[in-house]
Amino acid sequence: MANHQSVAHMFRDRVAKSADSEAFSFPEGAGWASMTWRQVSAKVDLVAGGLLALGLGDEDRVGVLCSTRVEWLFADIATNVAGGAATTIYPSSTAEDCQYILEDSGCKLCFVENQTQVDKLSSVRERIGGLQNVIIIDGKGSADGWVMSWSDLEAKGKAHIAAHPDALEEVL
């Protein structure tokens, strides 16, 4: 049994040992899709690079306000790969509960599933002082930049990794 220093190390070890094996299958459209560990790693790296580009530091907290779906896994693993720690929030939580959890845990960033969750956080935005950005999985970013789309985060990640090729290894 391997002695892993962190979840990020455990993830990298799994990718190295099982790169072409199926990692996840998930609902997509009317059917199912699957991804290999290599594909998951590529997706996680883009998201982790995006988190680093947004200023995520060692042990910074990232909220995940989302129902169970494959992007929830990517967000959680990418947060660990980027050196952060995920704080999960039930999608059924009230705006006030979300505000308390995000404030109490000190989240700098938060992944949300859709506009319903963005609206919930927007209603308490002024009371969540440390929350710098919200990343929406299914939706568009906001004009003021507080809400960023998933694809925009991935683009930031790609640019960050291109500019800093060792960024993700430096975190480990």
Side-chain angles (χ1 to χ4, degrees), residues 53-135:
L54 291 175
L56 188 72
D58 193 34
E59 297 186 24
D60 283 345
R61 301 306 189 263
V62 177
V64 182
L65 174 56
C66 181
S67 61
T68 304
R69 57 187 291 166
V70 73
E71 293 87 357
W72 190 103
L73 291 166
F74 299 150
D76 184 50
I77 296 168
T79 296
N80 282 281
V81 167
T87 298
T88 58
I89 307 168
Y90 290 115
S92 59
S93 297
T94 65
E96 291 72 23
D97 287 343
C98 292
Q99 179 247 318
Y100 175 81
I101 293 165
L102 291 166
E103 191 70 33
D104 186 60
S105 62
C107 286
K108 291 177 73 170
L109 306 166
C110 186
F111 288 94
V112 300
E113 185 165 12
N114 52 34
Q115 190 61 45
T116 299
Q117 302 303 341
V118 169
D119 293 345
K120 192 184 297 184
L121 295 185
S122 293
S123 74
V124 293
R125 179 178 178 179
E126 299 304 320
R127 291 183 271 158
I128 313 173
L131 189 62
Q132 297 169 0
N133 287 100
V134 173
I135 299 105

Side-chain angles (χ1 to χ4, degrees), residues 119-169:
D119 293 345
K120 192 184 297 184
L121 295 185
S122 293
S123 74
V124 293
R125 179 178 178 179
E126 299 304 320
R127 291 183 271 158
I128 313 173
L131 189 62
Q132 297 169 0
N133 287 100
V134 173
I135 299 105
I136 186 169
I137 296 168
D138 290 333
K140 297 184 290 187
S142 61
D144 68 358
W146 187 60
V147 178
M148 170 183 295
S149 72
W150 181 274
S151 60
D152 286 345
L153 179 69
E154 287 182 334
K156 276 192 176 298
K158 184 175 182 178
H160 187 78
I161 292 167
H164 309 281
D166 296 329
L168 297 176
E169 285 72 32

